Amino acid sequence: MPKESFVKNRIKSVGFALRGALLLLRTEASIKIQLFIAIVMTAAGFYFDISATEWILQVFAIGMVMGLEGLNTAVEKIADFIHPEYDAKIGFIKDIAAGAVMIVSIAATIIGAIIYLPKIF
């Protein structure tokens, strides 16, 4: 069987990634909240006419939170698949993944405060 071309493989990969992002958005409450916050912060960026550097930091922060939220969901799903009943070691792994999301969320909140508090006050 001949190998698929590089371009076809990349197109398929993008399709899988888009499907994964849509599954995440359709099935996970936490990412829906993060998306709502991202939309509000994007609107705030236009309203307050933030600088290019502020946009870069804001987009990076939003991407980090949402991307890590997706990884956290993947960790939780695979852990539940491997060990469906409660297990302290699995709980430890899931707590660490959730903690990573919290750390990035705190950093994103600080970035938002640095950008917007001077504009509000």
Side-chain angles (χ1 to χ4, degrees), residues 30-106:
S30 57
I31 200 74
K32 289 175 186 176
I33 293 166
Q34 299 296 349
L35 179 62
F36 174 76
I37 293 168
I39 291 168
V40 168
M41 297 313 296
T42 300
F46 286 113
Y47 179 80
F48 287 106
D49 194 28
I50 63 176
S51 71
T53 302
E54 291 167 331
W55 272 114
I56 290 166
L57 291 168
Q58 179 169 294
V59 169
F60 184 73
I62 290 169
M64 288 296 294
V65 171
M66 293 185 74
L68 205 51
E69 190 72 60
L71 285 174
N72 179 51
T73 298
V75 167
E76 289 179 357
K77 298 292 184 192
I78 198 164
D80 291 343
F81 177 77
I82 291 169
H83 208 292
E85 59 279 348
Y86 176 78
D87 180 83
K89 290 179 183 176
I90 294 291
F92 181 79
I93 292 165
K94 290 166 79 173
D95 288 348
I96 289 172
V101 175
M102 186 183 76
I103 290 167
V104 173
S105 296
I106 290 168

